[in-house]
Amino acid sequence: MKVQEGLFLVAIFYLAYTQLVKGQPRKDCQTRCGDVAVEYPFGTSPGCYYQGDDSFNLTCNEKELFFGNMPVINISLSGQLRVRLVRSKVCYDSQGKQTDYMDRKTSLGNLTLSEHNKFTVVGCNSYAFLRTSGVEKYSTGCISLCDSVPSKKGSCSGEGCCQTSVPRGSYFVRVKPHSFDNHTTVHLFNPCTYAFLVEDGKFDFYALEDLNNLRYVTTFPVVLDWSIGNETCEQVVGRNICGGNSTCFNSTRGTGYNCKCLEGFEGNPYLPNGCQDINECISNRHNCSEPSTCENMRGSFTCNCPSGYRKDSPNSCTRKVRPEYFRWTQIFLGTTIGFSVILLGIICVQQKIRHQKDTELRQKFFEQNGGGMLIERVSGAGPSNVDVKIFTEEGMKEATNGYDESRILGQGGQGTVYKGILPDNSIVAIKKARLGDCSQVEQFINEVLVLSQINHRNVVKLLGCCLETEVPLLVYEFITNGTLFDHLHGSMFDSSLTWEHRLRIAIEIAGTLAYLHSSASIPIIHRDIKTANILLDENLIAKVADFGASRLIPMDKEQLTTMVQGTLGYLDPEYYNTGLLNEKSDVYSFGVVLMELLSGQKALCFERPQCSKHLVSCFASATKENRLHEIIDGQVMNEDNQREIQEAARIANKCTRLTGEERPRMKEVAAELEALKVKTTKHKWSDQYPETGEIEHLLGVQILSTQDDTSSRGYDSIKNVAISDIEAGR
């Protein structure tokens, strides 16, 4: 009797084991928690969720479903989980004293952040940082500025509210809010900075209510991606958990797989019999036209014709022709031909009208995309040397394979850049401005105007543009070797640039800026010099790119007032505080780039204990304390080039002085870097290394003093910002 009981228990254990292996949940599992349906592979108890991953184990607490400590909104079987995340905030009293602070660290288990979310900051004179970990570390930030309550409703474009995209694939998220002036100037209507993640399209900014208390909302919907395991469909053939009448597809987040029902079936594809046949005839999902009748089939349907009718298409029937009807058929055919001739005439007229409308539409797009603005600016500048090829809309679509996502080279504030292949097989880069943003159109026209007046080997060459499309396009030469940022900090390229490479690249950038400031027909201020805007060709020759933020300086002015624009970490503090733009703003940004070349660190860096703040502050303190070697890239410095690197660091410190008057001009910087190149090629730090006076005599310029007091001139990126709190970001 005991033997029989033992065999019975073994059989029960075997059935339960095979059930879990195949991914089949128990039949007594909870299927609903409050208003949320609990769908397998998720579950609320052992044996009810996919046993290969505890991330699918949810908690039902008082009729509310939780993933960890996050309330669940709904579960999508296509690979998405919607939850609610708590927002972060920092608040101050009227004297600027912090009264409340809350930053959020969230671990998502084996689930990852979806790309269908936005990082959002609400507040005046506020900024926040988002740091994520996943396939790779990613950091970004968002700045919101205003002095009074914005009047626009629903606009989150930087005035009181800003938003930026986030990448997919992150399983750890941290949000940190900050304020530039502790809300002392705006405390009456905005005492706090709020920062949070929210599903794209689920937050509408209303300044009157949101700046005061965010309408008392503390959580926001966020989309998470999930998949089964970490193998592809090809790797789990025969052992995936997809049920009958379903198929496996690789997850878009880059790891694992998901299941979906075959066409003509619906239900839960993760259950053995979860996908059931759809009866199209009952559910009215067929397109059979009378007098045909619908007949359901497994996974599809068919349209049947009644007696005396025949099929003339898959879903319609016509009456069979009998001999006595032949004469009437001839009459019908003659009438049909006559009507066809009339119809053909009508079509020809419609085609002509449509062609006229298309011409008017192209003209509308031409004006909408700034064609009139371009003509006005070119004609208003006197004799013009603009010579830009005009491309057609069809040509652009063919070159980018219909703007396929695989052709995207990069995305930024001014738009998206695609790789294009022209009919002559030449490869170009096609820049597509953002749709419906008037400020982007002005930047697009500005880039055409600036690039058309530059003829320099180290500036990306403009090939043409397209204005007859709904979205304006720029076409310029394709640079094959990525950006300087990629080579210094990215994973796509070997980052072992030699000292000679880095010095030559710095000389080329400095020479280009000196040309733009002093030798161009109209002086040009780039305004956004950074390593991400320096391209490298196959020979590692530097090419300055992205002139969308540039400004032309009239010959009778040395500076002009503009809206502050640039990139955090590279932005000239004097320009940021005053709005007065001159060539010394580019000198500051170049100094930061030179520091990146020397250290291999990002402008806002946190990768070394010696470099826990902005590079400008790091270099200033390291120079003063005689420990420059601690922050220089180990692949660069050696016994033979220490003096050259120290000289380059001194030049970088001089370029990043707090005020523009204390910085050298760009052509002076270029001359000093050329002097370093002479030392590299001719002297190799021998005993015959020429003194400073000799270099001055050779180049006809005054070398900057090596005794500069960098400690009193150091600058921590943005006024009143605690740089130690800033996280690494591109």
Side-chain angles (χ1 to χ4, degrees), residues 254-272:
T255 178
Y257 65 90
N258 294 91
C259 306
K260 64 178 179 180
C261 292
L262 296 174
E263 186 176 359
F265 295 85
E266 63 182 3
N268 190 332
Y270 300 94
L271 299 176

Side-chain angles (χ1 to χ4, degrees), residues 457 499-508 541 644-645 647-648 651 669-685 689-690 695 698-699:
R457 67 188 297 267
W499 165 240
E500 288 75 14
H501 284 144
R502 300 187 191 205
L503 178 58
R504 177 179 51 75
I505 290 171
I507 291 172
E508 291 171 347
I541 301 298
E644 300 173 27
I645 291 177
E647 183 75 6
I651 296 172
V669 176
E672 291 210 49
L673 292 174
E674 283 287 354
L676 285 184
K677 183 177 180 182
V678 172
K679 295 176 184 179
T680 302
T681 57
K682 292 188 176 182
H683 299 274
K684 296 296 184 181
W685 302 110
Y689 181 85
I695 293 301
L698 289 173
L699 297 174

Side-chain angles (χ1 to χ4, degrees), residues 389 391-392 394-396 398-399 420-428:
K389 182 178 179 181
F391 292 89
T392 65
E394 292 75 12
M396 294 293 93
E398 183 176 351
I421 302 176
L422 299 181
D424 61 357
N425 291 327
S426 61
I427 300 178
V428 296

Side-chain angles (χ1 to χ4, degrees), residues 553-554 556-561 574 578 580-583:
I553 305 296
D556 59 344
K557 293 185 179 180
E558 294 184 356
Q559 64 183 15
L560 71 160
T561 303
E574 185 178 51
T578 66
L580 295 177
L581 178 68
N582 57 51
E583 65 176 82

Side-chain angles (χ1 to χ4, degrees), residues 336-497:
T336 302
I337 293 174
F339 277 112
S340 298
V341 172
I342 297 174
L343 182 61
L344 183 61
I346 296 174
I347 291 175
C348 290
V349 174
Q350 289 179 337
Q351 289 286 357
K352 186 175 181 180
I353 295 174
R354 187 179 295 111
H355 177 73
Q356 184 177 356
K357 289 183 177 180
D358 289 342
T359 302
E360 293 175 354
L361 184 60
R362 284 194 295 270
Q363 181 63 30
K364 175 186 174 183
F365 286 152
F366 179 83
E367 295 296 334
Q368 176 180 302
N369 292 333
M373 184 189 306
L374 178 61
I375 294 174
E376 179 182 354
R377 291 191 179 182
V378 170
S379 60
S384 174
N385 60 351
V386 176
D387 183 16
V388 181
K389 182 178 179 181
I390 302 300
F391 292 89
T392 65
E393 179 183 11
E394 292 75 12
M396 294 293 93
K397 283 185 178 180
E398 183 176 351
T400 59
N401 193 23
Y403 305 106
D404 191 274
E405 289 188 1
S406 64
R407 294 287 187 92
I408 294 178
L409 298 174
Q411 293 178 302
Q414 280 76 50
T416 304
V417 179
Y418 294 86
K419 178 181 179 181
I421 302 176
L422 299 181
D424 61 357
N425 291 327
S426 61
I427 300 178
V428 296
I430 299 175
K431 184 174 182 179
K432 183 179 184 182
R434 295 193 183 279
L435 179 63
D437 192 336
C438 296
S439 65
Q440 298 297 334
V441 172
E442 183 175 357
Q443 289 177 346
F444 167 81
I445 295 303
N446 189 67
E447 186 161 359
V448 174
L449 188 65
V450 172
L451 285 177
S452 65
Q453 300 184 61
I454 301 175
N455 183 17
H456 195 280
R457 67 188 297 267
N458 296 114
V459 175
V460 175
K461 183 179 180 182
L462 177 68
L463 301 178
C465 66
C466 179
L467 298 176
E468 67 179 26
T469 55
E470 185 176 6
V471 177
L473 305 172
L474 272 178
V475 182
Y476 48 90
E477 64 174 321
F478 179 70
I479 308 301
T480 59
N481 216 2
T483 68
L484 180 57
F485 183 94
D486 297 330
H487 284 265
L488 291 176
H489 316 300
S491 58
M492 295 175 57
F493 299 95
D494 183 4
S495 62
S496 58
L497 290 174

Side-chain angles (χ1 to χ4, degrees), residues 159-171:
E159 186 180 11
C161 174
C162 72
Q163 286 187 327
T164 186
S165 301
V166 296
R168 67 159 67 106
S170 301
Y171 49 75

Side-chain angles (χ1 to χ4, degrees), residues 308-332:
Y309 289 81
R310 61 178 178 81
K311 277 192 175 183
D312 59 353
S313 70
N315 59 349
S316 63
C317 304
T318 57
R319 187 182 295 274
K320 294 180 180 179
V321 179
R322 299 178 181 178
E324 58 267 26
Y325 295 139
F326 284 169
R327 186 170 64 88
W328 296 106
T329 301
Q330 293 174 349
I331 296 174
F332 173 76

